[in-house]
Amino acid sequence: LSLLGFSLVSRVYLAEVSYGHALAALKINDGAKTYASLTSAIRRNPFRPHYHATMSQISLSLANAAYDKQVIIDFYQQAIREGKLAVKYAPTSPIAWENLASIYKSFVGGATNADSWTIAAIGETIKLDPTNPLLRLQLGSLYLRTNRLDDASAAFQSAIALKPDLANAHYNLAYVYKKKGEFFNAALEFRRTSELVAPGSIDADRVNADLS
């Protein structure tokens, strides 16, 4: 029993060491060493959700940097698989769900039902972190991207209700109103946005142009 206990503790410790090596390699943009160290960490201790979440993002980055079609597909599949494993081992973690949503979001426009998967994952994240306005902003942006204007409007309004000075939410809501032809409401939201951004900034110039 003592030997078994020592073996388990050793595996957990060595997994953390490998994960530390992965993070160090990531800082210097060494993708190969990052991937190898993460693989080692997961092999030694496959139950740590943040290992899988990190691996999902690394796999996505490697897919985007690859040129061989099969390699790209393999890394994309691994990104999804690792994102799901992070959620499996931490089902009540909004961070794990938001990570999975970010993986799915990268496929929107390129894979069938990717928008539905992303919306579902963000929905789970919101259930676990209901007071985070940025999640509503993400959801609204996705609805807007898929032209679900009424849903986008509701999401942006929810974000504003949680954080009234969130300039991005006001701006996006204004854009929704503009697309729907509700120009008076759009003008009100553009004006509110102009009050929230820094005067003289690029954002201010853009909002004032939209308002005009």
Side-chain angles (χ1 to χ4, degrees), residues 10-155:
S10 296
R11 289 176 68 88
V12 170
Y13 172 75
L14 290 173
E16 283 296 304
V17 171
S18 294
Y19 186 67
H21 289 162
L23 295 182
L26 183 60
K27 287 183 179 179
I28 59 174
N29 294 318
D30 188 337
K33 187 173 181 180
T34 301
Y35 184 83
S37 297
L38 272 174
T39 300
S40 177
I42 291 172
R43 185 179 67 252
R44 286 170 168 151
N45 185 7
F47 306 109
R48 299 285 279 176
H50 60 282
Y51 292 179
H52 294 288
T54 304
M55 178 61 93
S56 69
Q57 292 295 332
I58 294 300
S59 298
L60 187 62
S61 296
L62 291 173
N64 292 333
Y67 295 97
D68 183 86
K69 183 177 180 180
Q70 188 56 52
V71 172
I72 293 171
I73 292 172
D74 290 343
F75 275 129
Y76 277 150
Q77 290 176 340
Q78 184 173 27
I80 294 173
R81 183 169 63 251
E82 294 294 332
K84 288 181 176 179
L85 284 171
V87 166
K88 176 183 177 181
Y89 293 124
T92 60
S93 168
I95 295 174
W97 278 104
E98 188 174 6
N99 173 70
L100 182 59
S102 73
I103 298 296
Y104 285 146
K105 187 177 180 181
S106 67
F107 296 102
V108 173
T112 304
N113 297 324
D115 55 337
S116 299
W117 301 336
T118 310
I119 289 169
I122 293 178
E124 290 297 325
T125 312
I126 289 173
K127 289 179 184 178
L128 296 167
D129 190 8
T131 61
N132 187 342
L134 298 181
L135 295 175
R136 314 288 177 134
L137 184 62
Q138 287 185 45
L139 183 60
S141 297
L142 187 63
Y143 282 139
L144 182 57
R145 185 173 177 179
T146 54
N147 210 38
R148 294 170 59 175
L149 299 183
D150 289 338
D151 291 328
S153 177

